């Protein structure tokens, strides 16, 4: 039995006013954005993204302030993270994409979809916590 070989991808940075956002791209097909929970990084998708990349073009984002992305000079709100995802879509030239997200990444995805429904094709949200502005 041979071990599975992970798919290779390409590393990118999207430049924004608050700094660079790191994106790892792999696969081919319809675009899918992966959003990690706040406090973690895109590395959390390492065990599953290869499977998605067999059918989709996967964009694994490190949200601002995490891992390979720059840290903003101020604390980000959920709306700020959602704006950064929209900037990534624009920077990648994507008019519309599906989103796979977990925990607070799911909140960010829901905000993106609520503010800009035509930019989101489908969503898979895991562990969407209760959240309020208070």
């Amino acid at each position: 039995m041979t071990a599975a070989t992970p798919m290779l991808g390409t590393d990118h940075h999207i430049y924004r006013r608050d700094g660079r956002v790191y994106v790892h791209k792999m696969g081919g097909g319809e675009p899918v954005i992966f959003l990690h929970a706040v406090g973690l990084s895109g590395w959390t998708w390492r065990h599953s993204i290869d499977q998605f990349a067999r059918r989709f073009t996967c964009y694994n984002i490190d949200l601002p302030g995490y891992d390979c992305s720059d840290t903003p000079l101020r604390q980000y709100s959920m709306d700020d993270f959602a704006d950064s995802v929209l900037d990534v879509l624009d920077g990648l030239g994507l008019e519309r994409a599906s989103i796979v997200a977990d925990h607070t990444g799911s909140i960010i995805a829901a905000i993106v979809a609520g503010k800009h429904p035509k930019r989101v094709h489908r969503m898979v949200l895991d562990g969407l916590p209760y959240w309020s502005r208070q």
Side-chain angles (χ1 to χ4, degrees), residues 83-96:
D83 290 343
S84 74
V85 172
L86 290 164
D87 287 345
V88 168
L89 288 172
D90 291 342
L92 294 170
L94 298 174
E95 198 61 36
R96 187 174 174 201

Side-chain angles (χ1 to χ4, degrees), residues 13-23 34-42 61-88 108:
H13 281 96
I14 303 301
Y15 292 84
R16 309 178 61 240
R17 182 180 61 249
D18 290 347
R20 301 173 305 154
V21 175
Y22 171 79
V23 179
F34 287 79
L35 299 178
H36 61 82
V38 171
L40 300 174
S41 74
I61 298 173
D62 281 340
L63 292 168
Y66 297 97
D67 208 6
C68 296
S69 289
D70 292 342
T71 301
L73 295 176
R74 61 184 175 77
Q75 185 173 353
Y76 262 28
S77 68
M78 291 293 119
D79 286 325
D80 292 324
F81 284 117
D83 290 343
S84 74
V85 172
L86 290 164
D87 287 345
V88 168
I108 296 164

Side-chain angles (χ1 to χ4, degrees), residues 81-129:
F81 284 117
D83 290 343
S84 74
V85 172
L86 290 164
D87 287 345
V88 168
L89 288 172
D90 291 342
L92 294 170
L94 298 174
E95 198 61 36
R96 187 174 174 201
S98 294
I99 301 175
V100 175
D102 70 332
H103 299 278
T104 45
S106 295
I107 293 171
I108 296 164
I111 292 170
V112 170
K115 286 183 169 183
H116 303 277
K118 293 184 179 185
R119 303 294 305 264
V120 178
H121 182 58
R122 295 182 181 115
M123 293 190 299
V124 176
L125 308 178
D126 177 49
L128 182 62

Side-chain angles (χ1 to χ4, degrees), residues 37-50:
V38 171
L40 300 174
S41 74
W43 187 74
T44 60
W45 296 107
R46 71 193 178 283
H47 294 302
S48 53
I49 201 164
D50 284 354

